[in-house]
Amino acid sequence: FCLELIMSVERMPDESLVGYYENIRQQVEADRAHKHQLTGGPTVRQYADSLRDEMIRRRLQHSPITWPPESD
């Protein structure tokens, strides 16, 4: 699964890459504002990390995602 995810991220056009990342970032902000945690799971974080890593590799500008603290 992880290898497929990385490969699909590498093939995304810049606009899609930025769009997916920005959607996750905005949802995390909405979750924090409304004290929900819809995007806090490890799969979402892993996907966002792979998007961020690819954006860094391509030197695309992006805002960091401020994840809420993990619950025990």
Side-chain angles (χ1 to χ4, degrees):
F1 167 75
C2 195
L3 182 59
E4 290 177 24
L5 179 66
I6 291 168
M7 289 177 67
S8 65
V9 168
E10 288 176 351
R11 288 190 291 240
M12 278 185 194
D14 291 353
E15 297 79 21
S16 296
L17 186 66
V18 171
Y20 286 129
Y21 180 86
E22 188 60 23
N23 285 339
I24 293 170
R25 192 187 68 73
Q26 289 175 2
Q27 185 60 55
V28 169
E29 288 298 316
D31 287 356
R32 287 171 19 117
H34 294 95
K35 300 187 189 229
H36 293 285
Q37 195 167 359
L38 301 175
T39 58
T43 303
V44 174
R45 287 183 186 221
Q46 289 171 350
Y47 185 56
D49 287 346
S50 68
L51 293 169
R52 184 201 64 226
D53 291 347
E54 183 63 17
M55 291 171 65
I56 290 169
R57 189 184 75 74
R58 296 185 196 185
R59 295 186 171 111
L60 299 173
Q61 291 187 349
H62 61 283
S63 298
I65 295 175
T66 305
W67 296 99
E70 291 189 35
S71 304
D72 292 333

